[in-house]
Amino acid sequence: MPIRQMKENSEQHFVIKPQVQNSMTQVQKNQKNLQNGKGPPTQNESQNAKINQHNSPPSKNRGRRRGRGGRKSDQSDIPMRPSSRPCTIVEKSMSEFPAIGKPVENGSVSVENGGNVCAMDMGFPSSSKSLRFAPRPGFGQAGTKCIVKANHFFAQLPEKDLNQYDVTITPEVVSRSLNRSIMAELVKLYKESDLGMRLPAYDGRKCLYTAGELPFTSREFNIKIVGEDDGMNGPKREREYKVVIKFVARANLHHLGQFLSGKCADAPQEALQILDIVLRELSTKKYCAVGRSFFSPDIRKPQRLGEGLESWCGFYQSIRPTQMGLSLNIDMSSAVFIEPLPVIEYIAQLLGKDVFSRILSDSDRVKIKKALRGVKVEVTHRGNVRRKYRVSGLTSQPTRELVFPVDDDSNMKSVVEYFQEMYGFTIQHTHLPCLQVGNQKKANYLPMEACKIVEGQRYTKRLNEKQITSLLKVTCQRPKDRENDILQTVRKNAYDEDPYAEEFGIKISEKLACVEARILPAPWLKYHDTGKEKDCLPQVGQWNMMNKKMINGSTVSRWACINFSRSVQESVARGFCNELAQMCQISGMEYNPEPVIPIYSARPEHVEKALKHVCNAASNKLKGKELELLLVILPDSNGSLYGDLKRICETDLGLITQCCLTKHVFKINKQYLANVALKINVKMGGRNTVLLDAISCRIPLVSDIPTIIFGADVTHPENGEDSSPSIAAVVASQDWPEVTKYAGLVCAQAHRQELIQDLFKTWHDPVRGTVSGGMIRDLLISFRKATGQKPQRIIFYRDGVSEGQFYQVLLYELDAIRKACASLEPNYQPPVTFVIVQKRHHTRLFANNHKDRSSIDKSGNILPGTVVDSKICHPTEFDFYLCSHAGIQGTSRPAHYHVLWDENHFTADGIQSLTNNLCYTYVYFHFSFAFNFVSGMTNATPILQVCKVYALCLSW
């Protein structure tokens, strides 16, 4: 059955004494000890790791290799590394590092068959030895040289010593903002006396930093704070806190200077973190901080998104070590906030109907309760007294029916009477329920019309389609506009006038960094010889299928169509299907023009029933044979229908689907049909195009020996989804030397677990004994079956890993790759190159001259193929930025590639050109639609953007 396409230590170290650090859990302490080389995992940890990771049977949620027909398998952002250990291979004895072992003559690594189980629990390194990431082998030379600007601003390294103090506040305070208020009051009262005129920077938790010593090593202060919930003229609640400040450690920045100059590979992350906190201190006081970004309605007028939500403009800020020295990365950012409306107006927007006179339905109550739970409101019926409360629920009764005991004799009073007598406030809308605030044992009632939503509350739940569209319109900025906004933000922040920056001696440039870049040439693409154009050279990252035929067209004999759109008549649907069939044939596929059964129309709410009906009807008509393809016509606004349909077809029915929106069915466009045909061909096991260099065996370190290219990613549930599993996906090439055809596997794993648990697994079977399995092993077997050869080289692209997780992911997943190989054949250990791909970063590249048409594309973005591996990149490690795609709307986001492990000894040009070329093979197109707003022309896009689409469910 054809496989379905898928898509050295420095002279001086910065030390923070552990005995006065923030309180950590034992797990965190163990992890830090491991990462700093202070000891191996404990025996219990190793045993737990073995139990958790390797002694269980395959998960029932394991996905299957995506073959035609898709049947189920028979087997059920501070983005800084917590350790400052750097990474090239360090030889270890097998007992110390069983998973990686020593190199042998053929360049691979020797490991005992099966290997020892990785002594690692939830990401702990399996070795206490120093692990060094691959060093930069040199700088790339290929391509046309040019100059680009990056949103990095040079930060002069201060010459002052840094001092860290531990802060203990009693009673303990959970709120970081309250902690900051307490410390601000302390500085206000004691700066000129006890603090010796020092202006400290505070992280809001346990650490205080100063430039120079304080006049004491330990001191206790008593600070009184007025409750922020009270108004100017109301009764003020005063609370007293005991604050103990104790000296922890002193360090200068010599180590950081050595690291930035490339004289040592051991990054002093603690020093970087201190400088980052110092530069964030003033903005933290002025703006609403969310992660690494700051937002305010004063930066730009908020834009309404509908249903009581609005978009706030802000900026991202992070200090980073680069080849040019310290760099301050500034970028524009947007976030969604709840609009600070009166609650009654908010629910009117939320429900989209009049609530001032109409009774709420049960579904309305549920929607309001979900939306307002946890939201902070302030009362408006007490004049200047604006007490704040957090909503815990909604009453089941309307306000007019609510009564409560007013004394110990159980005398009752209505909420309406109470507010009238107590505050002289007449409740007008007594038909509405009240908000419940406080806990369940002692809940208070607040009328909706007496409350207003507090400003500055971020909304973290899922947005609907209209809100997403509105948000995209707000956030989509042309490169020149984004660059101007970034420069304006830097000028407005006025770092030269920042008292904290001045205190610590930090100076920030106001000019964008000018960086040397190169534009890599696009690869020639090979199409079928029977087409008018046998090959193609993409221009500015774009090309189309006109006059070309798929190099390997698939066959579609048995297909059906189901229509979920009420506005699409059967005749219109039939005409669309005919046009699509013709386009598939013209493009090089064998496509039966007639469906197995007549086009079936159904309502979206009956999706599961309709799908099963079509499958059963087709099976009866085909006398047991199954459908190969199901075309699906969807309403333009289809809510959860698309997700439900994909889930049912991919997991229950094993059915390949191609979805089309109603607007495309009515307005039949040849280019649209050609793109759909390309998607169908890939899904059905065909290949649309291959790299000419691949056919000619001219790709270094790929064409010489059988090479398999993996792509891996983990998709996590949205915020608020506390019980849903994370989904791991792995794809792998199956057609060496072309590396164009991919198979994929998916599996569910623990909630928000980033390490891919199912890469390699062993379990005990009563009959067969110890059994090996896992996604890497399965895909290696699949490669050998497809090509007749076993892979002699592995290139592993891993998406979505933050810098703080580099060590854990590399150790754990490289170990899994080793074990998977060893389980197949004794001493089988092909060399591995392990590359992290990051898209969630804030580096943006701009043309040096926006008026120079030869240096930009139609959208004003830098040209596709632009690669940067100097100045703004890591001082010593092997990383680069590559913008492989053409921009359509907004500002292009280059992918950041970080080679952590490289046993194949790639040159800079080698890995950069390979990565860029892979982006032009068609299986990497689909995610560009979502990321780059592609419409019409096929567009190259970073390699790992394909993983979710091809390994989870193929996008339309």
Side-chain angles (χ1 to χ4, degrees):
M1 180 182 294
I3 298 169
R4 174 172 161 191
Q5 294 275 317
M6 301 285 160
K7 181 187 110 174
E8 216 107 13
N9 292 334
S10 66
E11 301 168 358
Q12 191 168 6
H13 291 270
F14 184 87
V15 178
I16 300 295
K17 296 180 181 178
Q19 63 267 26
V20 287
Q21 281 293 329
N22 303 359
S23 58
M24 307 189 235
T25 64
Q26 190 61 41
V27 170
Q28 290 170 319
K29 291 179 181 178
N30 290 340
Q31 184 175 10
K32 186 167 184 176
N33 289 341
L34 284 168
Q35 292 165 341
N36 289 299
K38 295 181 181 178
T42 64
Q43 183 178 2
N44 289 338
E45 290 167 351
S46 300
Q47 290 173 348
N48 289 340
K50 295 178 183 181
I51 294 171
N52 293 338
Q53 308 297 340
H54 296 278
N55 290 346
S56 59
S59 168
K60 293 182 180 179
N61 292 313
R62 265 291 294 278
R64 75 276 186 193
R65 188 174 76 248
R66 303 297 179 117
R68 186 184 298 177
R71 307 306 299 170
K72 286 187 178 180
S73 170
D74 293 335
Q75 293 186 150
S76 317
D77 254 52
I78 194 169
M80 295 181 179
R81 301 183 197 119
S83 165
S84 52
R85 299 292 182 192
C87 206
T88 52
I89 190 164
V90 178
E91 290 191 7
K92 309 177 190 305
S93 68
M94 293 300 293
S95 61
E96 290 176 326
F97 206 165
I100 295 181
K102 300 177 69 175
V104 294
E105 291 182 359
N106 64 0
S108 64
V109 178
S110 175
V111 178
E112 294 179 9
N113 188 20
N116 293 330
V117 175
C118 178
M120 183 180 193
D121 185 14
M122 296 301 290
F124 291 169
S126 60
S127 171
S128 61
K129 299 284 182 153
S130 174
L131 177 69
R132 301 189 179 277
F133 294 148
R136 190 180 302 281
F139 296 93
Q141 301 297 323
T144 304
K145 293 183 179 181
C146 64
I147 298 294
V148 296
K149 290 179 288 187
N151 57 337
H152 285 245
F153 299 83
F154 177 72
Q156 184 176 319
L157 189 66
E159 297 178 354
K160 299 184 179 183
D161 289 347
L162 302 178
N163 293 266
Q164 179 184 350
Y165 294 82
D166 178 76
V167 175
T168 303
I169 299 176
T170 309
E172 185 178 356
V173 176
V174 176
S175 168
R176 185 172 292 190
S177 61
L178 182 53
N179 277 338
R180 291 188 181 279
S181 297
I182 295 168
M183 292 305 299
E185 184 68 13
L186 188 151
V187 172
K188 177 182 176 182
L189 295 173
Y190 298 102
K191 178 183 177 182
E192 297 181 3
S193 54
D194 297 59
L195 299 183
M197 295 301 293
R198 298 292 182 195
L199 182 62
Y202 179 50
D203 71 352
R205 294 295 188 200
K206 295 282 291 180
C207 296
L208 190 76
Y209 305 103
T210 62
E213 298 178 353
L214 292 176
F216 56 83
T217 56
S218 180
R219 185 154 300 180
E220 178 182 312
F221 301 87
N222 292 311
I223 304 298
K224 294 181 181 180
I225 295 292
V226 176
E228 63 170 5
D229 291 346
D230 296 296
M232 295 292 293
N233 300 323
K236 299 181 180 180
R237 295 181 299 165
E238 193 174 69
R239 296 174 181 168
E240 186 170 336
Y241 297 91
K242 182 175 75 173
V243 181
V244 177
I245 299 177
K246 186 184 297 185
F247 174 76
V248 174
R250 180 187 305 112
N252 61 38
L253 294 172
H254 175 74
H255 186 187
L256 179 56
Q258 292 286 96
F259 171 73
L260 293 171
S261 63
K263 295 178 181 178
C264 74
D266 193 10
Q269 297 293 352
E270 295 89 348
L272 288 168
Q273 186 172 344
I274 292 171
L275 297 176
D276 196 70
I277 289 169
V278 170
L279 289 173
R280 295 172 58 82
E281 186 72 23
L282 189 60
S283 294
T284 300
K285 297 177 185 296
K286 292 167 59 178
Y287 305 117
C288 175
V290 178
R292 312 267 337 130
S293 298
F294 299 97
F295 300 94
S296 171
D298 299 327
I299 294 177
R300 188 185 298 164
K301 185 179 178 180
Q303 300 295 311
R304 284 193 165 187
L305 303 178
E307 296 190 10
L309 302 181
E310 62 183 10
S311 170
W312 282 19
C313 181
F315 64 94
Y316 168 92
Q317 173 180 302
S318 177
I319 196 84
R320 300 192 60 80
T322 66
Q323 293 171 30
M324 70 178 184
L326 278 181
S327 163
L328 189 64
N329 182 203
I330 302 286
D331 190 24
M332 303 314 296
S333 187
S334 291
V336 180
F337 287 79
I338 303 173
E339 197 170 351
L341 297 167
V343 169
I344 197 166
E345 290 184 23
Y346 171 78
I347 65 170
Q349 282 198 29
L350 178 69
L351 300 177
K353 61 184 181 183
D354 173 35
V355 298
F356 295 92
S357 58
R358 297 176 59 179
I359 302 296
L360 298 179
S361 66
D362 290 340
S363 61
D364 290 338
R365 291 173 182 271
V366 171
K367 189 172 184 178
I368 295 169
K369 187 176 181 179
K370 286 183 178 181
L372 287 176
R373 183 181 291 160
V375 173
K376 188 179 287 188
V377 298
E378 60 183 3
V379 296
T380 59
H381 64 287
R382 298 177 60 185
N384 291 327
V385 179
R386 291 295 182 103
R387 293 287 301 273
K388 298 174 183 177
Y389 303 89
R390 200 171 293 279
V391 178
S392 59
L394 203 65
T395 62
S396 57
Q397 299 169 287
T399 303
R400 59 180 171 236
E401 298 177 13
L402 291 173
V403 294
F404 62 97
V406 292
D407 52 37
D408 295 336
D409 297 328
S410 297
N411 291 314
M412 308 299 287
K413 181 173 289 187
S414 73
V415 170
V416 175
E417 292 174 338
Y418 176 81
F419 274 82
Q420 182 65 56
E421 296 173 8
M422 190 71 178
Y423 305 112
F425 182 79
T426 302
I427 301 174
Q428 301 290 336
H429 309 290
T430 59
H431 65 288
L432 295 174
C434 276
L435 301 178
Q436 287 181 306
V437 296
N439 54 46
Q440 292 181 347
K441 294 182 178 179
K442 188 179 180 181
N444 293 319
Y445 301 146
L446 289 178
M448 286 186 177
E449 61 195 89
C451 299
K452 181 179 181 289
I453 292 173
V454 175
E455 186 181 64
Q457 297 183 79
R458 191 182 175 208
Y459 183 83
T460 58
K461 299 173 186 176
R462 178 182 296 179
L463 302 177
N464 61 38
E465 290 186 12
K466 290 183 178 180
Q467 291 168 335
I468 292 173
T469 301
S470 299
L471 182 61
L472 290 175
K473 289 180 180 179
V474 174
T475 59
C476 184
Q477 280 186 297
R478 294 182 68 86
K480 186 177 181 179
D481 296 332
R482 194 182 193 99
E483 178 186 330
N484 289 335
D485 281 356
I486 291 171
L487 288 169
Q488 184 179 346
T489 298
V490 173
R491 287 191 290 267
K492 188 175 181 180
N493 287 347
Y495 295 101
D496 58 334
E497 299 176 8
D498 184 336
Y500 295 94
E502 183 180 359
E503 173 82 9
F504 284 79
I506 305 172
K507 296 181 180 179
I508 307 296
S509 170
E510 291 190 350
K511 295 182 179 179
L512 290 158
C514 286
V515 186
E516 291 183 357
R518 291 167 288 113
I519 303 170
L520 300 180
W524 280 90
L525 303 178
K526 172 65 177 175
Y527 285 90
H528 201 279
D529 289 339
T530 60
K532 291 182 180 181
E533 294 183 19
K534 300 176 183 180
D535 47 41
C536 165
L537 180 63
Q539 300 296 323
V540 199
Q542 299 178 340
W543 72 103
N544 59 37
M545 279 295 292
M546 301 301 292
N547 301 319
K548 305 176 188 69
K549 282 192 176 183
M550 302 158 177
I551 192 164
N552 296 117
S554 61
T555 299
V556 179
S557 302
R558 305 182 298 274
W559 63 275
C561 177
I562 185 168
N563 176 21
F564 287 107
S565 177
R566 295 182 182 180
S567 59
V568 176
Q569 302 298 320
E570 184 179 353
S571 59
V572 176
R574 188 165 57 247
F576 174 79
C577 290
N578 289 335
E579 293 283 345
L580 180 58
Q582 290 180 34
M583 180 57 72
C584 288
Q585 292 168 350
I586 293 170
S587 300
M589 294 175 62
E590 292 184 20
Y591 196 102
N592 185 351
E594 295 298 325
V596 172
I597 59 173
I599 294 173
Y600 184 76
S601 296
R603 299 177 65 176
E605 56 267 30
H606 300 150
V607 55
E608 185 168 9
K609 181 180 178 181
L611 289 170
K612 289 181 178 179
H613 170 80
V614 169
C615 285
N616 290 333
S619 181
N620 291 334
K621 183 75 175 291
L622 296 168
K623 298 181 180 180
K625 292 183 180 181
E626 297 179 348
L627 281 176
E628 296 172 325
L629 175 68
L630 179 65
L631 297 178
V632 185
I633 298 174
L634 298 176
D636 293 331
S637 297
N638 54 76
S640 63
L641 175 59
Y642 173 75
D644 293 339
L645 183 143
K646 286 292 184 180
R647 173 181 54 80
I648 295 166
C649 291
E650 294 283 326
T651 64
D652 294 341
L653 302 178
L655 185 59
I656 297 174
T657 57
Q658 176 59 54
C659 298
C660 304
L661 293 175
T662 297
K663 60 184 178 182
H664 297 305
V665 173
F666 278 118
K667 186 180 179 180
I668 299 176
N669 177 278
K670 294 292 183 182
Q671 186 64 64
Y672 171 78
L673 292 176
N675 280 337
V676 174
L678 293 174
K679 296 174 187 179
I680 292 174
N681 187 50
V682 168
K683 294 177 184 182
M684 298 303 296
R687 298 186 300 179
N688 297 325
T689 183
V690 297
L691 298 171
L692 197 58
D693 280 355
I695 295 177
S696 305
C697 295
R698 294 198 299 259
I699 301 180
L701 298 180
V702 172
S703 298
D704 55 343
I705 57 175
T707 301
I708 187 169
I709 299 179
F710 285 94
D713 194 11
V714 178
T715 301
H716 299 294
E718 295 180 353
N719 291 331
E721 291 284 342
D722 298 328
S723 59
S724 300
S726 291
I727 305 296
V730 181
V731 297
S733 60
Q734 301 288 299
D735 61 341
W736 180 85
E738 290 88 355
V739 294
T740 301
K741 192 172 187 177
Y742 284 73
L745 291 168
V746 293
C747 67
Q749 59 185 40
H751 176 77
R752 294 214 159 266
Q753 172 62 261
E754 183 60 43
L755 302 176
I756 303 179
Q757 304 297 295
D758 233 10
L759 288 180
F760 177 73
K761 279 188 174 288
T762 60
W763 65 96
H764 180 75
D765 183 271
V767 177
R768 296 179 292 170
T770 301
V771 181
S772 299
M775 293 189 285
I776 296 293
R777 191 178 192 275
D778 292 348
L779 289 167
L780 288 171
I781 294 171
S782 177
F783 179 95
R784 183 162 187 173
K785 287 181 179 179
T787 65
Q789 304 181 74
K790 60 184 179 184
Q792 295 298 316
R793 180 178 286 121
I794 294 174
I795 302 171
F796 194 91
Y797 287 94
R798 177 63 158 90
D799 192 21
V801 180
S802 66
E803 292 183 17
Q805 297 171 306
F806 279 9
Y807 287 96
Q808 294 94 324
V809 169
L810 175 62
L811 281 169
Y812 183 86
E813 296 184 3
L814 182 60
D815 181 66
I817 295 170
R818 293 286 183 236
K819 289 187 172 74
C821 293
S823 72
L824 292 168
E825 182 179 309
N827 298 321
Y828 174 53
Q829 288 297 322
V832 177
T833 296
F834 195 106
V835 186
I836 297 292
V837 189
Q838 295 174 308
K839 299 185 296 293
R840 291 192 173 188
H841 61 82
H842 284 269
T843 292
R844 300 293 182 269
L845 302 176
F846 304 101
N848 187 45
N849 182 358
H850 291 283
K851 296 180 180 180
D852 182 4
R853 297 285 182 177
S854 64
S855 65
I856 58 175
D857 61 17
K858 292 180 181 179
S859 65
N861 278 289
I862 56 174
L863 296 173
T866 301
V867 63
V868 171
D869 61 1
S870 63
K871 202 162 185 177
I872 61 171
C873 292
H874 195 277
T876 60
E877 293 172 9
F878 192 2
D879 70 325
F880 60 93
Y881 291 95
L882 172 62
C883 186
S884 55
H885 56 280
I888 302 300
Q889 291 183 17
T891 304
S892 295
R893 184 198 306 244
H896 186 203
Y897 297 86
H898 207 125
V899 184
L900 298 189
W901 195 266
D902 184 27
E903 293 169 342
N904 290 299
H905 308 296
F906 272 98
T907 63
D909 282 332
I911 193 68
Q912 291 166 11
S913 296
L914 171 64
T915 302
N916 186 56
N917 291 351
L918 286 173
C919 295
Y920 283 80
T921 55
Y922 186 76
V923 292
Y924 301 108
F925 161 63
H926 297 282
F927 242 80
S928 65
F929 190 92
F931 278 80
N932 304 305
F933 308 96
V934 175
S935 177
M937 306 294 276
T938 301
N939 185 15
T941 191
I943 181 172
L944 256 294
Q945 292 178 356
V946 68
C947 287
K948 297 172 187 175
V949 140
Y950 277 99
L952 293 175
C953 57
L954 287 147
S955 175
W956 57 41

